[in-house]
Amino acid sequence: MYYIGMMDSSYIFVIIGIIITLLASAHIKNTYARYDKVSSRRGITGAECARRILDANGLRHIQIRRISGSLTDNFDPRNNIISLSDATYASSSIAALGVAAHECGHAVQHQAGYVPIKIRNGIVPFVNICSHASLPLIFIGLILGWANLAMLGIVLYCAVFAFQLVTIPTETNASARALKTLESMAILDEDEIKGAKKVLTAAAMTYFASAASTALQILRLLMLVSGGSRNRR
């Protein structure tokens, strides 16, 4: 049996991961709140911005709908719908336009056959299976002292980390496309682009933080398994 209590020294990796995630979350919330108070000069709403970008890229078939919440914006390629949150849909702030353009960036990625997003979408079913199976295997392996079972769980859990890694270029590329489009279509002026870039950069940092947190968790689990194996010799 392995010791995995609160006083386990490897728990420091969990704490560090939580801190990194919380800092990234606080940064995006604060950055978004700052630029959500700054209205764009042209007064275009998030929904209008998204519609212009989609139409300009020949994506008139993609619908735009309003959903509740803040920073809950997303693009669903299965039904070709961009969902913009309450904070984005009817807002003309720099932050709202940056987020709306970012979601359009994902739609353009699908149209262009962008490889990372094709890989990410392709591995989703596999990652879901690994995610659900990994934790029970790890837990049972650690409790019963079955190192091989715990290691199998860790290997499966690495699929989650791989998914997070491939998500990073997908998100950063969507943001790069968004900023370029906002400038080329004159939706935002140069100084406003800088504000939108700060919002999208802060959002990207949450994906880096999630990946770092998962990597630290994997490292902790490997230490527990290797340490437990040595204790049993």
Side-chain angles (χ1 to χ4, degrees), residues 5-198:
M6 288 295 292
M7 298 306 293
D8 175 9
S9 61
S10 68
Y11 206 78
I12 186 64
F13 292 109
V14 176
I15 296 174
I16 294 174
I18 292 174
I19 292 174
I20 292 174
T21 302
L22 289 176
L23 288 175
S25 178
H27 182 49
I28 177 56
K29 289 180 180 178
N30 291 335
T31 305
Y32 187 91
R34 175 184 175 185
Y35 288 97
D36 191 41
K37 297 176 182 178
V38 182
S39 297
S40 61
R41 294 189 180 91
R42 291 170 181 77
I44 300 171
T45 66
E48 292 170 341
C49 170
R51 189 71 272 161
R52 290 191 185 187
I53 294 174
L54 293 174
D55 290 352
N57 284 278
L59 298 173
R60 293 179 177 80
H61 63 286
I62 295 181
Q63 302 177 38
I64 301 171
R65 70 174 183 179
R66 184 172 188 163
I67 57 173
S68 60
S70 177
L71 297 177
T72 53
D73 313 83
N74 65 87
F75 168 61
D76 189 343
R78 296 169 299 181
N79 52 23
N80 289 313
I81 292 179
I82 286 182
S83 298
L84 299 179
S85 65
D86 290 329
T88 302
Y89 189 90
S91 173
S92 60
S93 71
I94 291 176
L97 297 185
V99 171
H102 173 88
E103 297 307 328
C104 290
H106 285 309
V108 174
Q109 286 175 337
H110 279 275
Q111 178 195 47
Y114 183 61
V115 174
I117 202 168
K118 291 173 68 176
I119 294 174
R120 188 183 71 170
N121 292 341
I123 66 175
V124 166
F126 174 72
V127 172
N128 286 337
I129 293 173
C130 291
S131 177
H132 286 92
S134 62
L135 296 182
L137 292 177
I138 294 171
F139 181 76
I140 294 172
L142 291 176
I143 292 298
L144 299 180
W146 296 349
N148 290 337
L149 184 64
M151 283 301 299
L152 174 59
I154 293 174
V155 170
L156 294 179
Y157 190 60
C158 286
V160 175
F161 181 57
F163 178 80
Q164 292 173 330
L165 288 181
V166 77
T167 294
I168 291 174
T170 299
E171 296 298 329
T172 55
N173 177 266
S175 292
R177 291 173 187 268
L179 294 172
K180 183 177 180 180
T181 300
L182 289 170
E183 182 177 16
S184 64
M185 295 184 66
I187 295 175
L188 292 179
D189 291 334
E190 183 177 353
D191 60 321
E192 295 175 317
I193 291 289
K194 294 179 180 179
K197 183 177 182 179
K198 290 181 179 179

